[in-house]
Every structure is written in structure tokens, then in C-alpha cells.
Amino acid sequence: MDWFSDFFRSIGENYGHFFSWSDIAGTLSDPVSWGIIGSLILLEGLLSADNALVLAVMVKHLPKEQQRKALFYGIIGAYVFRFLAIGLGTYLVKFTLVKVLGALYLFYIAYKGLFKGSGEEGEIKNKGASFWKTVLLVELMDIAFSIDSVVAAFGLSSEVWVLFLGGILGVLMMRGVAQVFLKLIARYPELEQTAFLLIALIAGKMLAGAFGYELPHVIFFGILIAVFAGTILYSASKRKKEENRKA
């Protein structure tokens, strides 16, 4: 019974951070927090740019006004899911076993993305569904898209507002500038693979943290930036060589 009461007290404290002005101010004024938030936004954008197009196809059969409403309700659902997942996850991620399982799951996602493909190919069909059925399907799809990024986020931080800001801004990026990320990936195709490589690095960081070794944020951010920049340089060099060969 003590464990039961401790569980609910801890969960209540975690959700209390959402309404703590000192936590909000601390997050907004901390450069390291913004570095983590930026990493989460970038990762969400690279992983989820095509997901925005999937959602657009799902609501295509609706009138224009209802399309906007369905996608808006989907965003609300994604935020509610993140709110619930972050409050519960910041409690669970304190346990070594949960960290290990989370890291193994991320390694699996990275392996599947790097060597087996994303597994999300195929046409999404949703013709003729009613407005509210379409909203429900969009909500479920949003949650499915969110799971990987939420687990990856816990590999970077356990601060409630860092995770929540990274999540909500990442969702806005996914919906608002999906075309930007799609064009970036089209110009530098290797970035799609790099996103899964970054997940593998986050998984390694999470696994190391489970056994008491915390990689300094400066070093980890340096690795992320080096991998991202190196991918762009490699892709640009590769494209230039191909153009010279064709010329």
C-alpha cells in the first residue's frame, strides 16, 4: 500500500511541474534546455515530415473546412497524449529496467529504419469515412507517430517542460513546415538515415544512463551536430561527384 501511495504522490508531483512557474522559467532561461528542445524539434521534423502527408491524405475526402478541423483536433489529441505520457514517463524512466527497455526499443527502431526500411510504405486509404470517424483515425495515427519520438525524448531529458516544449513545437513543425523537411531530405537523401542514426545515439545515451554514466550535454550535442553537418557535407559531395560523372 505504501508503494501505491508513493506512486500516486510521485505522479502528482510530476504533473505539478506542468503548472510550476519556476520550472517554466528555469526551462526558458537555460541554454542547455533549449539545446535539447532544438534537438527534439529537429528529430521530430526529420522522422515525421512524411507523416504529415499521410494525415493530409486521411482527411482529403472531407470538405476544406472540415479538413482543417480534423487536423486541428488531431494536434490537440497529440498534445494530450504527450501531456499524459510525459507525466507518467518521467516517473517510470527513473527505473533502470524501464531505461534499458526504452533503449532497446530505440535500438530496434534505429535498426529497422537503417536496415529494413521504415515499414510505413503503402497507400493510406480513408475514403468516405464520416467527420468524427476521420478525427478518431487521425488521433490514433497521431498517437502512433508520437510513440517513437516520446521514447526518444526520454533518452535526452527527464525535465517535464523540456520534453513538453520539444514535443509540442515538434508537432507544429511536423504540420507547419513538413514540406521544408521533405525538400531538405530530397536534397540530402542521407538525412533520412541520419535520423535513425541519431535515435541509435540517443538509445546509447539512455542505456549508459541506466547504468550510472551520464554523457555531458556539451559532448552529446557536439556529436549530434557533427553527425548532422557531416551528413549534409557527405551528401553534397556525393551529389557533386555524380553530377561531374554525368557531365
Side-chain angles (χ1 to χ4, degrees), residues 216-231:
H217 287 304
V218 174
I219 295 177
F220 187 71
F221 290 150
I223 294 173
L224 292 185
I225 293 170
V227 170
F228 185 73
T231 300

Side-chain angles (χ1 to χ4, degrees), residues 1 10 72 78 106 127 143 163 165 171 195 202-203 215 223 238 247:
M1 187 62 71
S10 296
F72 174 74
L106 292 178
K127 296 179 180 178
I143 290 173
L163 297 173
L165 279 176
V171 170
I202 292 170
L215 187 67
I223 294 173
K238 182 180 177 182

Side-chain angles (χ1 to χ4, degrees), residues 171-190:
V171 170
L172 287 177
M173 289 284 284
M174 182 183 79
R175 297 293 178 81
V177 294
Q179 291 294 334
V180 174
F181 279 97
L182 286 172
K183 289 178 181 178
L184 190 64
I185 292 171
R187 185 172 177 80
Y188 307 106
E190 288 79 8

Side-chain angles (χ1 to χ4, degrees), residues 50-51 54 112-113 115-125 141 145 192-193:
D50 56 339
N51 295 348
V54 171
K112 189 172 68 170
F115 301 108
K116 290 189 173 184
S118 62
E120 293 177 359
E121 296 177 357
E123 185 180 355
I124 302 295
K125 296 181 180 179
M141 192 64 71
F145 289 156
E192 195 165 3
Q193 298 293 87

